[in-house]
Amino acid sequence: MRYLGVYDVLAVAARVLRCDSEDAVRRTDLDAVERALSDVRRTSGLAEAAGVLLSGLIRARAFSGANRTVTVAVVLQFVTLNQADLRLEPVDELDDLLDRIAADETNRHEVAGFIQDRLEHLGMTAAELHEHLRLDLLLEDEIPALHTDWQGMGEHMFEHFDAEARRAVVEAQEEARRFDHTFIGTEHLLLGLIEASQGGVAKILSDKGIAAPAVRDLVLEIIGRGEHKAAGGHIPFTPRAKHALEQAYKESRRLGAEQLGPEHLLLALIRDGEGVAAQVLTRLGGTLDELRERIEQWIDRRHRTEAVVTDMLTDDTASNWASFGRRHHLIAELNAVLDENERLHEQVARLRDLLRKHDIDPDS
């Protein structure tokens, strides 16, 4: 199971309360959040964990103002992190549950049952589930060691990474071991990014012909394999790779993101320009400027999607948890529609090219 950290909770609170991070800290009972997150780690299933998180934050009134809104948003973030979604409707039933939790008139089993009935797990094959669990275990082992590498960015920098970016870093270590390398360079970060990414970033790389097998072939050509089998334990980052991670954090802040995602890491590898990853990207995907433009267009589209959803809802989003829930679902649905629309546009473009090759006017 994937768990939230205090910084994840604060990021959600800042977004819902529409305030900066410092104000979010002032408006949050950090001790209550820590207790709730600690209780979650002692549970045995997603529904029970989400119920404990919901109950703990509601009863402690962990957030000053809009406590229900922030709490429900945090729970939504938690279940999403674990490849699931939480159906909020009918909202009056959920509101009644929150009333009973606040009055201490319900128990954890009832809350867990309520959530279990409304959980919608995303499709995952047995192989995908096995890989998901394997990476979860690796993340738990690697995070303490990774913190020692963030000295230039702050002690808790890794907690600013979203789930895909964290998985990319862990996959990078696996790729370094695959080559028997005693270091993690930008080339390993690129491979980790390819293996961990889903959605837009994965599609951008795939469209450019940047796939893991081709990248591994070029890494072998440029660097070669290590002389000795890599030992177990934490593998250190090269100075260039550390700089790329620092740059990724700067990119996330520049673009106003709540967390550092795979798109920011890819932008950082492109901006480096001279590392092995940049060389590989150039040889496989064309110019770095074209790739950077494509990524930034995708990020801009995501931002506009969220702005559209925000405009569709009333201004009481920050004080109405049901509105926040609708916003959460609308963003997901609208992004899915836009992704499908983009695929259709690409199919139409390919069809038009095919018609032209056969001397047929596509506009006739």
Side-chain angles (χ1 to χ4, degrees):
M1 189 181 300
R2 309 296 297 277
Y3 297 102
L4 296 175
V6 174
Y7 289 93
D8 299 318
V9 173
L10 287 172
V12 173
R15 192 56 178 268
V16 176
L17 297 172
R18 297 177 181 176
C19 63
D20 59 29
S21 57
E22 292 184 3
D23 194 23
V25 170
R26 286 193 294 269
R27 299 174 66 175
T28 300
D29 183 340
L30 296 178
D31 289 336
V33 171
E34 289 276 16
R35 286 194 300 272
L37 295 179
S38 178
D39 289 342
V40 166
R41 289 182 177 271
R42 290 193 286 268
T43 59
S44 58
L46 181 56
E48 182 185 359
V52 166
L53 182 61
L54 181 69
S55 300
L57 296 178
I58 288 292
R59 286 180 179 142
R61 296 199 58 81
F63 308 101
S64 175
N67 184 61
R68 290 191 178 190
T69 307
V70 181
T71 296
V72 171
V74 169
V75 173
L76 286 170
Q77 181 77 2
F78 174 61
V79 298
T80 299
L81 188 63
N82 285 282
Q83 304 294 315
D85 200 0
L86 180 61
R87 178 169 51 84
L88 300 179
E89 296 79 12
V91 295
D92 56 339
E93 292 183 5
L94 180 53
D95 208 27
D96 177 66
L97 176 71
L98 297 179
D99 284 339
R100 286 186 286 121
I101 291 174
D104 203 15
E105 295 174 352
T106 186
N107 57 53
R108 62 189 298 169
H109 301 295
E110 182 181 353
V111 177
F114 183 95
I115 290 177
Q116 182 65 59
D117 291 341
R118 288 158 177 77
L119 273 181
E120 298 175 357
H121 293 275
L122 303 179
M124 185 179 291
T125 66
E128 289 171 336
L129 179 59
H130 181 271
E131 180 66 6
H132 181 77
L133 293 174
R134 182 184 72 84
L135 285 171
D136 278 351
L137 291 174
L138 283 171
L139 273 170
E140 291 184 4
D141 290 340
E142 296 290 358
I143 286 175
L146 287 169
H147 278 313
T148 64
D149 287 313
W150 303 143
Q151 293 177 0
M153 299 182 287
E155 180 182 357
H156 300 288
M157 176 51 56
F158 197 62
E159 294 176 9
H160 290 282
F161 286 41
D162 71 9
E164 284 187 37
R166 293 186 185 202
R167 291 166 75 89
V169 173
V170 173
E171 288 281 11
Q173 299 221 28
E174 293 292 284
E175 292 293 336
R177 291 189 179 97
R178 180 195 295 268
F179 290 106
D180 293 328
H181 292 163
T182 57
F183 57 87
I184 299 175
T186 58
E187 61 277 13
H188 305 114
L189 288 175
L190 176 58
L191 280 165
L193 188 61
I194 293 170
E195 293 292 350
S197 295
Q198 302 173 355
V201 171
K203 185 176 185 304
I204 290 170
L205 292 172
S206 176
D207 288 348
K208 288 289 187 178
I210 303 170
V215 173
R216 291 189 185 106
D217 288 344
L218 284 178
V219 170
L220 283 174
E221 177 185 324
I222 296 171
I223 300 178
R225 185 172 296 279
E227 295 182 2
H228 305 287
K229 186 173 181 60
H234 178 63
I235 302 176
F237 293 94
T238 64
R240 187 179 291 276
K242 283 187 180 182
H243 182 265
L245 293 169
E246 293 173 0
Q247 185 61 46
Y249 177 63
K250 293 177 182 177
E251 290 287 347
S252 69
R253 299 303 296 267
R254 177 178 70 85
L255 295 167
E258 293 178 5
Q259 289 187 299
L260 187 159
E263 63 273 22
H264 307 117
L265 184 53
L266 184 53
L267 284 172
L269 295 175
I270 291 171
R271 190 176 292 277
D272 172 65
E274 297 180 356
V276 175
Q279 295 178 45
V280 170
L281 289 170
T282 300
R283 291 175 64 173
L284 292 178
T287 70
L288 296 179
D289 286 341
E290 289 176 355
L291 186 56
R292 179 189 299 110
E293 182 179 0
R294 178 75 185 278
I295 298 164
E296 292 189 342
Q297 286 175 348
W298 179 80
I299 293 173
D300 180 64
R301 181 164 66 87
R302 294 297 181 189
H303 286 172
R304 285 187 285 109
T305 298
E306 188 166 335
V308 168
V309 172
T310 299
D311 290 341
M312 289 171 62
L313 298 175
T314 61
D315 290 336
D316 66 352
T317 304
S319 59
N320 186 325
W321 65 260
S323 293
F324 185 91
R326 290 195 295 275
R327 178 177 178 276
H328 169 84
H329 288 290
L330 280 170
I331 288 175
E333 291 173 5
L334 200 52
N335 278 334
V337 170
L338 290 172
D339 284 341
E340 179 61 27
N341 200 31
E342 184 176 328
R343 284 192 290 271
L344 288 173
H345 277 301
E346 291 171 352
Q347 291 174 3
V348 170
R350 285 195 293 270
L351 177 59
R352 290 172 66 87
D353 288 341
L354 184 61
L355 290 172
R356 290 191 185 96
K357 289 178 181 178
H358 288 82
D359 297 322
I360 301 173
D361 183 0
D363 297 316
S364 61

